[in-house]
Amino acid sequence: MAEAAFSIPSNLIQALRGARHATVLTGSGISAESGVPTFRDAQTGLWSNFRPEDLATPEAFRRDPKLVWEWYAWRRELVARARPNEGHLALAELEQRVPKFTLITQNVDGLHQRAGSRNVIELHGNINRVKCFEEDAVVESWNQTGEVPPRCPRCGGRLRPDVVWFNEPLPEDSIGKAASAARNCDLFLSIGTSGAVYPAASLPFEALEGGATVVEINPVPTPLTARATFALRGPSGEILPEIMRQLAG
Ligand code: BV8
C-alpha cells in the first residue's frame, strides 16, 4: 500500500467510525487549495494596500461604497473561477457516512455547497447573494445602469454583498443552530481557521465543554491547538482525503 502522506491516529479513525453526531467548523484555510486567498493572507495586486478588516465593515461601505462593492466584485470573480478542492469533497463524503452531520462555515465562497455538502450553516453569509443596505433584504435582480454600487429596485438604496461585516450581528438562527451543534456533538473538527474571529472562534471550545472529541486541521498552531484532542498539522486538501481513505479501509 502506498505510504500515506499523513499518518492519521488510529483512535481518531475509530472515533470517526463511531461518531453519532459530527460537527465541522471551516475557515478560509479550507479554500486556500482552491486558489481563494485566506482572509489574513496578504491581499494581492490591486488590493494589496487594504486590510480586509478595514473593508469588511459598514463604516467602510458608508465611507466608500464603490471601493467596498468593487472589492467584493473582485472576490466574487475569483470565487466563480475557483473549484471545490479535495478537502471540500471529502467533507461532502463524510456527511454521507455520519448519522448526524452539521457543517458550519465562516467562508462566504459557497464552495462547500458546490462540492455537494447539503446541511451547511453559513455563519458569515454568502458573497454571491446581494442585499439592500437600507432594507437589509436580499435583492435578486436590479437595473444595470452602470452605477457602482447598483441601486435597490424597491427603495433606491445602495446594494451590498449579503455577508456579515465586522461589528454586525450574525443571523440569530445561524449562530443558534451552530452553538447547539457544537455543544451536542460527540466529534468536532475545526479546519482551516485561525480562530481569530468571534463568535465563530468560540464554537470548538463549546464542543470541548460538551465533552466532544475535538480535532484541529491546520498547517500552523492556533489558540485551539493546546486544547484539541487531536491536532493534525498540514493542509486540509491532503489530510481530509487521507482520513476518508483510512475510514473506507
Ligand atoms: C459581532 C465575512 C456583535 C465578510 C467575516 C475583541 C475580542 C473578541 C471579539 C471582538 C473583539 N472586538 C470585536 C470583536 C467582534 C468581532 C471579532 O471577532 N473581531 C476579531 C477580529 C477580534 N466579531 C464581529 O464583529 C462579528 N460580529 O461580534 O457582532 C454584535 C452583536 C449585536 C449587534 C452588533 C454587533 C462578525 C464577525 C464576522 C466578520 N466577517 N467574513 C467577508 O468575508 O468579507 S470574518 C472573516 O474572518 C472571514 O469570514 C473568515 O472566515 C474569518 C476568520 O478568518 P479565517 O477563516 O480563520 O481565516 P484566516 O485567514 O484568519 O485563517 C486561515 C487559517 O487557515 C490559518 O490558520 C491558516 O494557517 C490556515 N490554512 C491556510 N492554508 C490551509 C489552512 N488550513 C488548512 N489547509 C490549508 N491548506
Side-chain angles (χ1 to χ4, degrees):
M1 172 165 126
E3 188 53 33
F6 288 92
S7 70
I8 309 296
S10 55
N11 43 354
L12 168 53
I13 297 298
Q14 291 314 320
L16 271 162
R17 283 218 170 91
R20 182 186 39 76
H21 179 184
T23 296
V24 177
L25 171 69
T26 62
S28 56
I30 196 165
S31 297
E33 289 156 275
S34 295
V36 179
T38 63
F39 219 74
R40 281 160 190 79
D41 272 350
Q43 296 251 45
T44 53
L46 179 64
W47 302 100
S48 50
N49 48 350
F50 294 98
R51 279 179 354 116
E53 287 82 2
D54 299 336
L55 289 173
T57 70
E59 294 72 31
F61 186 77
R62 285 195 193 90
R63 193 173 49 245
D64 192 340
K66 185 170 181 296
L67 175 73
V68 173
W69 175 271
E70 284 177 342
W71 181 50
Y72 281 91
W74 172 70
R75 288 174 60 192
R76 203 173 295 123
E77 257 303 295
L78 202 152
V79 163
R81 286 198 305 273
R83 277 199 313 283
N85 65 59
E86 290 299 308
H88 295 107
L89 295 169
L91 289 182
E93 197 190 324
L94 187 60
E95 181 175 26
Q96 301 308 313
R97 291 183 66 107
V98 179
K100 189 168 164 44
F101 187 89
T102 311
L103 175 56
I104 305 160
T105 188
Q106 301 171 85
N107 301 339
V108 298
D109 57 30
L111 288 176
H112 284 302
Q113 293 91 325
R114 284 170 55 192
S117 289
R118 294 217 293 272
N119 180 12
V120 182
I121 299 175
E122 292 182 310
L123 283 185
H124 298 157
N126 187 309
I127 199 168
N128 294 312
R129 254 194 333 266
V130 167
K131 68 180 180 181
C132 172
F133 187 71
E134 303 308 327
E135 299 169 338
D136 207 31
V138 170
V139 171
E140 305 283 346
S141 63
W142 54 86
N143 304 327
Q144 309 281 350
T145 62
E147 186 180 358
V148 176
R151 294 282 175 176
C152 170
R154 297 185 290 260
C155 76
R158 286 196 172 94
L159 297 185
R160 57 165 284 182
D162 187 14
V163 299
V164 179
W165 280 331
F166 287 98
N167 297 324
E168 288 189 322
L170 276 63
E172 273 299 308
D173 58 325
S174 303
I175 191 63
K177 275 197 294 189
S180 153
R183 174 120 350 228
N184 299 308
C185 66
D186 46 328
L187 184 71
F188 188 98
L189 295 101
S190 180
I191 305 170
T193 181
S194 61
V197 172
Y198 286 82
S202 59
L203 293 170
F205 298 96
E206 296 253 343
L208 282 167
E209 293 295 303
T213 299
V214 172
V215 186
E216 179 180 60
I217 299 175
N218 195 317
V220 302
T222 76
L224 174 65
T225 306
R227 302 279 309 279
T229 322
F230 299 96
L232 308 182
R233 182 79 56 248
S236 48
E238 294 173 32
I239 290 180
L240 285 169
E242 183 54 34
I243 287 176
M244 296 315 292
R245 269 191 292 276
Q246 294 198 22
L247 256 185

